[in-house]
Amino acid sequence: MKRMLSGIKPTGQLTLGNYIGALKNFVRYQDDYEMIAFIANLHCITVYQEPQELKKNLRDAVALYLACGLDPKKATIFLQTDVLEHAQLGYIMACNTYLGELNRMTQFKDKMAKGETNLSAGLYTYPTLMSADILIYDPDYVPVGEDQKQHVELTRDVAIRFNHRYGDTFKIPEPLVQKVGARIMSLSDPSKKMSKSEESNKGCIYLLDEPAVARKKIMSAVTDNEAHVAFDPVKQPGISNLLQIHSSLSNEPIESITARFEGKGYGEFKKEVAEVVVAELEKIQANYRAIIAENQIERVLEEGAAKARSIAARKLNKVQRRIGIEIRKR
Ligand code: AQP
């Protein structure tokens, strides 16, 4: 069975973007692939997080993984910090990544361009830890949203370089970016990605938003003056974003939705998008409440970490022997 790996960093509450771009696919893939799905808590602290809030977000993220349908019997679910090998391989990856490569990463460049000050060194080097997160498990595929594709490409480059220097050690993973929903945009500014840490939360739907709140955000979504429901991300980015959200959740092709709304107004269209989103949120939230009540989180994380550790420890040992820093045979 081919292996697939992905993670989410709960720097806030998980969003509809995380669900459509990542989680929903993890659930679909877990039947056909050996799925490794971790919570990237080390990546969270590249930007300051209030500790109590972070703890809550981490617990909620695990509960939401399960609530969205990840099954711990099929998928390996764990916290990154429970497998210390990630950080150690991260350092080794940093030693095999060039500054020029990190300088080209658009996520960091965007933050610099916005004039953000006091950016941490961890934020700059986080693609090297991400390479370790991936390569330590030898996955065949890494499903990601559009914004993370560049980091998986860097991972491939570093793995190829490492294999060339030290001999065949890592499998070269493929990024998997879906066609619809790879980049869900903010509802209040459709030129920006829907992000957990968006300043105003009007543009972002959180998976734990009250249905009425989510409905209101969709009804207030920024659109345009074209007055017809069409998929045109350049001229009609807001409507196109709503079409992507609808289609990803309802599985109805975008052309079929636009055909049904021929000659109808945006209000009617938004109402239907809101219904589709709210129905999905209600399902997820009912599961979430049951998972919290059943206290499943600790057990799931413990079992997942044990499975992940056994793979990661073997790989780290192999890497360290290859590069000459390990002198004991294990
Ligand atoms: N808006 C989105 N559309 C589609 N996919 C998305 N993903 C995130 N936002 C969208 C995908 O979800 C996975 C986990 O991402 P992440 O939360 O670890 O990191 P991120 O992409 O940096 O998310 P945020 O919300 O934008 O975080 P902040 O605000 O902290 O920077 C990835 O596969 C990602 O592509």
Side-chain angles (χ1 to χ4, degrees), residues 7-9 11 17-18 21-22 144-145 147-148 181-184 193-197:
I8 293 185
K9 60 172 169 52
T11 38
N18 292 134
V144 283
D147 57 317
Q148 290 290 346
R183 195 169 164 85
I184 299 300
K193 189 182 85 151
M194 182 183 284
S195 266
K196 295 177 217 88
S197 49

Side-chain angles (χ1 to χ4, degrees), residues 271-291:
K271 233 173 168 173
E272 186 172 299
V273 177
E275 286 316 312
V276 171
V277 170
V278 163
E280 198 81 8
L281 293 189
E282 282 177 339
K283 215 167 45 187
I284 294 170
Q285 291 175 10
N287 293 340
Y288 165 86
R289 284 190 291 269
I291 286 153

Side-chain angles (χ1 to χ4, degrees), residues 201 204-205 209-219 278:
N201 64 17
C204 181
I205 294 191
D209 267 349
E210 291 287 335
V213 172
R215 190 173 277 117
K216 193 162 169 215
K217 287 179 183 173
I218 291 173
M219 295 310 291
V278 163

Side-chain angles (χ1 to χ4, degrees), residues 22-38:
L23 263 175
K24 192 170 177 290
N25 304 317
F26 302 174
V27 175
R28 203 155 42 86
Y29 295 136
Q30 68 183 344
D31 291 323
D32 302 322
Y33 297 91
E34 182 193 343
M35 186 77 206
I36 299 183
F38 70 102

Side-chain angles (χ1 to χ4, degrees), residues 288-307:
Y288 165 86
R289 284 190 291 269
I291 286 153
I292 295 288
E294 287 162 16
N295 229 344
Q296 294 181 23
I297 294 173
E298 315 265 314
R299 184 181 45 80
V300 166
L301 289 181
E302 212 174 293
E303 289 174 8
K307 268 202 264 173

Side-chain angles (χ1 to χ4, degrees), residues 133-181:
D133 297 334
I134 297 171
L135 297 175
I136 206 160
Y137 297 105
D138 278 334
D140 297 279
Y141 301 109
V142 183
V144 283
E146 192 61 54
D147 57 317
Q148 290 290 346
K149 193 164 167 240
Q150 194 187 28
H151 294 150
V152 181
E153 277 158 3
L154 174 67
T155 299
R156 287 169 57 86
D157 292 345
V158 176
I160 291 168
R161 178 178 310 135
F162 190 101
N163 287 350
H164 185 68
R165 276 183 180 161
Y166 298 109
D168 217 17
T169 309
F170 296 119
K171 189 174 258 181
I172 310 302
E174 295 281 341
L176 266 194
V177 183
Q178 59 191 324
K179 288 197 183 73
V180 176

